Amino acid sequence: MREGLILVARRAETQHLPGAWEFPGGKIADDEEPADTALRELREETGLTASSATPLLVFVHDYPDRRLRFHAFVVTDALGEVTTDGGRDFAWVRPSSFDDLAMPEANRAIVRALRWRLP
């Protein structure tokens, strides 16, 4: 989050749910804590660095072909400018515009939590 805007990324055409907008993130390594993963994935996917990730929500979502556990965090101290990873599009958007974005169904839980949490 930066100046009231939230960073989203468009999934590559070769990924599961191609073209959908999502929040930066990724898989937790065996030896990682979820907050450390959030900071590492932010750095790897966007080039932004941050010192802390505040827990927002933990939930499980069932896709037809897989079950995933999500640990969502809010990062408010990210430094730097976004650099693309593999040509993906990134955008800083207002929370009020989330409904205009095609997002994976699992991200809707994060959107609801963000709207509840943000002023």
Side-chain angles (χ1 to χ4, degrees):
M1 173 187 282
R2 186 182 279 174
E3 297 177 11
L5 302 175
I6 308 290
L7 184 63
V8 293
R10 188 183 299 254
R11 295 181 65 82
E13 292 301 317
T14 56
Q15 291 181 294
H16 181 249
L17 303 172
W21 289 93
E22 65 181 355
F23 302 103
K27 294 179 182 162
I28 299 171
D30 289 339
D31 60 343
E32 269 185 323
E33 292 296 320
D36 295 332
T37 299
L39 296 173
R40 176 183 54 77
E41 288 286 343
L42 180 69
R43 185 179 61 256
E44 290 176 0
E45 290 187 11
T46 70
L48 299 174
T49 59
S51 62
S52 65
T54 303
L56 176 68
L57 177 69
V58 176
F59 66 100
V60 173
H61 183 81
D62 290 315
Y63 282 104
D65 61 335
R66 63 186 83 180
R67 171 176 266 198
L68 299 175
R69 173 175 288 145
F70 290 81
H71 296 258
F73 292 86
V74 175
V75 174
T76 58
D77 67 341
L79 299 174
E81 296 302 319
V82 175
T83 57
T84 61
D85 70 338
R88 291 184 351 155
D89 293 329
F90 288 90
W92 291 96
V93 299
R94 296 198 181 287
S96 60
S97 68
F98 286 147
D99 292 337
D100 299 331
L101 299 175
M103 297 183 105
E105 185 59 36
N107 282 339
R108 295 296 170 190
I110 299 169
V111 167
R112 285 189 300 274
L114 281 169
R115 286 185 172 149
W116 180 81
R117 180 98 169 266
L118 299 175

